[in-house]
Amino acid sequence: FNYFLTKVRDCPATHKALDSIYMTDILHPSLGKLTSTLQINFMVELDWLTMNYEATKTDHLPLVILYGAENPDLASSNLASNIRAVRVKPKYPYGTHHTKMMVLMYEDGSVRVVVHTANLVPDDWHNRTQGVWVSDRCPKLGEDAGSGESPTGFKASILRYLKFYEVSALQQFISAIQ
């Protein structure tokens, strides 16, 4: 079902378990050559996140980050030129932005969606058990291929969700999923 738990530093059995995964496994070139990524999360530690991209030699690629918690590093005008960070402030007074999701785009036009329970901070990925669902790579559909919708309506749901943000930086990901 493509459901994994994160590798846990103090639990060596998870380090090589087939059902355990780490951020660098998700970004690894063996899963396909990435062209652009979207990280949606509440808390983001930029140094830790970019370290994972550096480890997989994908740190030069376009990276869009939507985040919820106030973060001076992401609000800075000194971000690398390939990183665009947008703080999401809920439209309603009693809410918070708490999504934890990735959209990964590949050179062949395919897209992968990852939904997980971890913030993008080292504490959540190093020594805590977190859940990670990783979609198969969804190929770009030809004009005669139909809608590509699943029986669950996942494609329509994720498109509606991404469009609700009303953030122009998401348009490339919305277009790739459509």
Side-chain angles (χ1 to χ4, degrees):
F1 296 142
N2 298 332
Y3 182 76
F4 301 88
L5 298 175
T6 52
K7 295 176 182 180
V8 177
R9 182 185 58 219
D10 290 346
C11 185
T14 66
H15 300 180
K16 294 187 181 185
L18 296 178
D19 60 350
S20 294
I21 199 166
Y22 191 72
M23 175 66 82
T24 52
D25 299 320
I26 297 167
L27 300 173
H28 198 275
S30 65
L31 297 180
K33 187 172 181 182
L34 289 168
T35 58
S36 185
T37 62
L38 167 64
Q39 296 286 346
I40 304 176
N41 214 289
F42 178 64
M43 293 174 59
V44 179
E45 187 174 308
L46 186 60
D47 287 343
W48 177 85
L49 181 60
T50 56
M51 176 197 69
N52 284 279
Y53 280 85
E54 290 167 5
T56 57
K57 298 183 178 13
T58 56
D59 54 310
H60 62 286
L61 298 175
L63 166 60
V64 175
I65 304 169
L66 296 190
Y67 64 100
E70 190 171 330
N71 186 320
D73 290 339
L74 292 173
S76 168
S77 60
N78 296 327
L79 287 175
S81 62
N82 63 310
I83 299 175
R84 175 145 183 225
V86 179
R87 182 164 183 212
V88 176
K89 295 180 182 176
K91 296 177 183 179
Y92 308 102
Y94 302 107
T96 187
H97 179 265
H98 222 277
T99 300
K100 293 163 179 63
M101 180 172 73
M102 305 176 201
V103 178
L104 311 173
M105 293 173 45
Y106 295 89
E107 71 177 349
D108 64 358
S110 63
V111 175
R112 183 185 313 273
V113 176
V114 179
V115 179
H116 54 96
T117 60
N119 284 297
L120 294 174
V121 299
D123 283 352
D124 277 13
W125 285 83
H126 289 174
N127 216 28
R128 292 191 177 127
T129 301
Q130 303 281 355
V132 183
W133 176 80
V134 181
S135 78
D136 291 332
R137 274 178 53 188
C138 304
K140 185 158 187 72
L141 299 175
E143 292 188 25
D144 297 338
S147 72
E149 184 59 89
S150 70
T152 63
F154 183 78
K155 180 178 178 179
S157 293
I158 196 166
L159 286 169
R160 187 172 49 252
Y161 182 80
L162 292 173
K163 289 175 182 177
F164 187 79
Y165 280 110
E166 298 177 350
V167 172
S168 63
L170 297 183
Q171 189 53 51
Q172 65 179 317
F173 300 98
I174 292 167
S175 296
I177 294 169
Q178 288 174 328

